[in-house]
Amino acid sequence: MSFDLDLFVIGGGSGGVRAARIAAAEGGARVALAEEYRMGGTCVIRGCVPKKLMVYASAFPGQIADARGYGWDAAAGGFDWPRFRTALEAELDRLERAYRSGLTGAGVTIHDTRATVLDPHTVQLATGQTLTARHILIATGGTPFVPDVPGAELALTSNDIFRLEALPRSILIVGGGYIACEFACILNGLGVQVTQYYRGAQILRGFDDEARGHVADAMAAQGIDIHCGADVLRMERAPGGGARVEATNGTDRTFDAVLYATGRRPNSAGLGLEPLGVQFGRNGQILVDGYSQTAVPSIFAVGDVTDRIALTPVAIREGHAFADTVFKGTPRQADHDLVASAVFTQPELAAVGLTEEAARDREPIEVYVASFRPMQTLFAGRQDRALFKLIVAQGSRKVLGCHIVGPGAAEMIQMVAIAIKMGATKEDFDRTCAVHPTMAEELVTMKKPIRRS
Ligand code: FAD
């Protein structure tokens, strides 16, 4: 049977772009890719990249305050949101062009339109055109999920934040995950009065409990009004503008804006996959095997739509492994073990491996903790504390997990992740000489466990 193409990729985000490029450039495949919004996907257009630039923007008031502690006669002026947003849009345009030229340079044909699947080898474009392909890759990512509360239509999602006409004076952020917490810190840093409601007992579920508490305390100390065990009951437009919000904690308050960051759902509905026999999980995620193959042999899926680990580098690796397997004759599975991650709150939280709670359920462990005021901010008069924590297996002596809260945590965890991935023991850490004076030297100088369990 002959096909128009070897591969049709639906979705021009982290996973789809990598798969298309490798299949075409290194696998010699005839490849087309459809993107219905903007090339680069969530990470580039409305996720990691614009968010990190906002993190940088929001850190300046703190840095300027620190500069005064160091003797500088410095003062933060006003923040010009339209000026920042214009520069941000120009940067995203540049990145989008780079993604496009990377694809076309590799020989991939781009269709700037929505695509759905008609049968195991046929894709239909919103333009009406149909194309056949030996393989179809679904890389459609995820979308923000807003629960069905009365007045939910008033809520912004993370997709809207980057394109606001003006910054609100006050905002309610609903949610306790990393995106909610990052935006709480960003907007707080930019001068917005931030309130955060999270229905669970502590923010940043899934991370180490001690690290979560540390970040929550630091956020509260910076003026973010965090309420755990609180959820929205209903919202309505307030007479003077903004939203009036009634919550389960008995409050009735008005905010200029409400941001829902209550999780993301795989973008799998309406693609035409159900009748073909593709299987879905409870969250709507496409079920795949280790090679990212669905129950329909010609259809594969990578990235957030499969809800394995919803992070850009993971989507990229899944896309790459798929292309290597199917088009380069080198079958391999993406490795989901010991994936490090970071939360760009202020202070940052970064982690790799097991939390203390997960580790002690598995085997006897030792816990090493250093908590201190970093030299740089202490000198400037700040009260911030950093936290370094290692979880060590009593039997094998392997370091099972590392959790860092503090400036530069994300950069540090990337290095620690290499050592832990290589199977480093606590003694390997101990015989590594410190770099002084740094914060990271704590990683190799923690001598006594603070507890065993
Ligand atoms: P996506 O990047 O979402 O790409 C999917 C693409 O498919 C989209 O462009 C969409 O328009 C397109 N599409 C969907 N349906 C169709 C269709 N039918 N036809 C054509 N096109 C279609 N990850 C990190 O690693 N670090 C971070 O710091 C980080 N920060 C984040 C911050 C925010 C606010 C958000 C929302 C996400 C963040 N992420 C972060 C997660 C990261 O962005 C995702 O894990 C990653 O983008 C997933 O890549 P993907 O290829 O699966 O999907």
Side-chain angles (χ1 to χ4, degrees):
M1 194 170 165
S2 79
F3 300 100
D4 300 326
L5 298 157
D6 299 310
L7 172 65
F8 196 102
V9 179
I10 305 183
S14 311
V17 167
R18 174 61 66 94
R21 205 166 49 72
I22 299 300
E26 296 180 18
R30 296 165 303 153
V31 183
L33 179 150
E35 169 52 56
E36 66 177 347
Y37 181 56
R38 290 182 66 181
M39 195 62 74
T42 304
C43 172
V44 176
I45 305 297
R46 43 197 184 186
C48 330
V49 172
K51 171 198 81 183
K52 190 81 189 277
L53 290 168
M54 283 181 80
V55 169
Y56 290 135
S58 68
F60 284 104
Q63 290 164 358
I64 291 167
D66 286 354
R68 283 198 294 275
Y70 278 83
W72 287 93
D73 186 13
F79 176 64
D80 187 343
W81 168 255
R83 184 142 60 95
F84 170 78
R85 205 193 51 194
T86 303
L88 179 65
E89 280 163 10
E91 176 61 2
L92 301 188
D93 288 347
R94 186 187 70 79
L95 288 170
E96 188 176 359
R97 281 195 301 275
Y99 270 77
R100 280 182 181 280
S101 63
L103 283 171
T104 49
V108 177
T109 307
I110 297 174
H111 298 276
D112 288 299
T113 185
R114 181 171 172 78
T116 50
V117 182
L118 279 184
D119 68 40
H121 294 285
T122 311
V123 165
Q124 168 131 49
L125 303 183
T127 55
Q129 188 184 359
T130 57
L131 287 157
T132 58
R134 184 177 298 279
H135 300 284
I136 296 171
L137 179 68
I138 312 293
T140 48
T143 41
F145 168 75
V146 178
D148 191 17
V149 289
E153 68 284 356
L154 298 176
L156 304 169
T157 69
S158 62
N159 286 351
D160 307 307
I161 284 288
F162 308 111
R163 295 183 313 175
L164 289 173
E165 285 300 316
L167 284 182
R169 275 164 309 164
S170 66
I171 193 164
L172 170 66
I173 297 182
V174 185
Y178 81 94
I179 293 175
C181 295
E182 288 176 342
F183 279 115
C185 292
I186 289 169
L187 293 169
N188 180 59
L190 295 179
V192 179
Q193 202 183 322
V194 178
T195 305
Q196 188 175 356
Y197 289 172
Y198 173 52
R199 67 175 180 198
Q202 181 56 287
I203 58 169
L204 296 171
R205 185 163 63 91
F207 287 91
D208 184 87
D209 279 354
E210 209 165 3
R212 295 164 74 190
H214 201 99
V215 174
D217 286 353
M219 286 171 63
Q222 286 162 29
I224 298 169
D225 186 18
I226 302 182
H227 298 260
C228 289
D231 203 0
V232 172
L233 282 173
R234 61 187 66 83
M235 293 188 281
E236 61 182 25
R237 204 172 290 284
R244 181 180 154 208
V245 181
E246 276 179 61
T248 54
N249 58 0
T251 56
D252 181 346
R253 294 174 60 183
T254 298
F255 302 91
D256 277 355
V258 178
L259 168 67
Y260 259 80
T262 39
R264 292 172 60 80
R265 292 277 187 277
N267 211 350
S268 61
L271 291 172
L273 297 170
E274 291 87 347
L276 307 184
V278 171
Q279 303 291 304
F280 299 88
R282 256 169 65 83
N283 226 9
Q285 72 271 34
I286 297 177
L287 298 181
V288 290
D289 66 11
Y291 295 97
S292 297
Q293 190 170 32
T294 71
V296 178
S298 59
I299 301 180
F300 291 70
V302 295
D304 287 8
V305 76
T306 62
D307 204 14
R308 286 175 279 183
I309 302 177
L311 291 172
T312 284
V314 177
I316 289 173
R317 281 170 171 255
E318 289 169 359
H320 204 132
F322 154 78
D324 283 353
T325 301
V326 175
F327 297 102
K328 289 177 66 185
T330 47
R332 66 182 184 90
Q333 304 192 5
D335 180 358
H336 294 97
D337 192 30
L338 290 170
V339 173
S341 67
V343 182
F344 295 97
T345 38
Q346 288 160 17
E348 282 177 13
L349 161 61
V352 61
L354 297 178
T355 63
E356 178 179 346
E357 297 71 41
R360 73 173 174 228
D361 284 349
R362 247 177 49 166
E363 60 186 298
I365 55 165
E366 287 178 351
V367 179
Y368 294 80
V369 173
S371 172
F372 58 95
R373 292 168 70 192
M375 181 166 87
Q376 184 183 359
T377 45
L378 174 66
F379 186 82
R382 281 209 230 177
Q383 298 304 311
D384 305 20
R385 294 190 75 79
L387 175 81
F388 284 74
K389 182 165 175 179
L390 292 178
I391 316 296
V392 177
Q394 283 188 27
S396 67
R397 304 298 301 152
K398 280 194 176 166
V399 179
L400 302 175
C402 177
H403 309 273
I404 305 175
V405 181
E411 303 290 347
M412 286 185 265
I413 210 73
Q414 182 69 82
M415 303 298 144
V416 180
I418 299 171
I420 295 185
K421 190 87 183 161
M422 291 174 74
T425 60
K426 177 69 170 69
E427 286 63 37
D428 291 324
F429 275 61
D430 292 346
R431 64 192 173 81
T432 304
C433 191
V435 179
H436 183 74
T438 63
M439 288 201 315
E441 65 186 302
E442 296 296 330
L443 288 165
V444 296
T445 54
M446 288 188 269
K447 290 289 174 251
K448 282 207 168 65
I450 62 154
R451 54 187 170 267
R452 291 189 171 84
S453 54

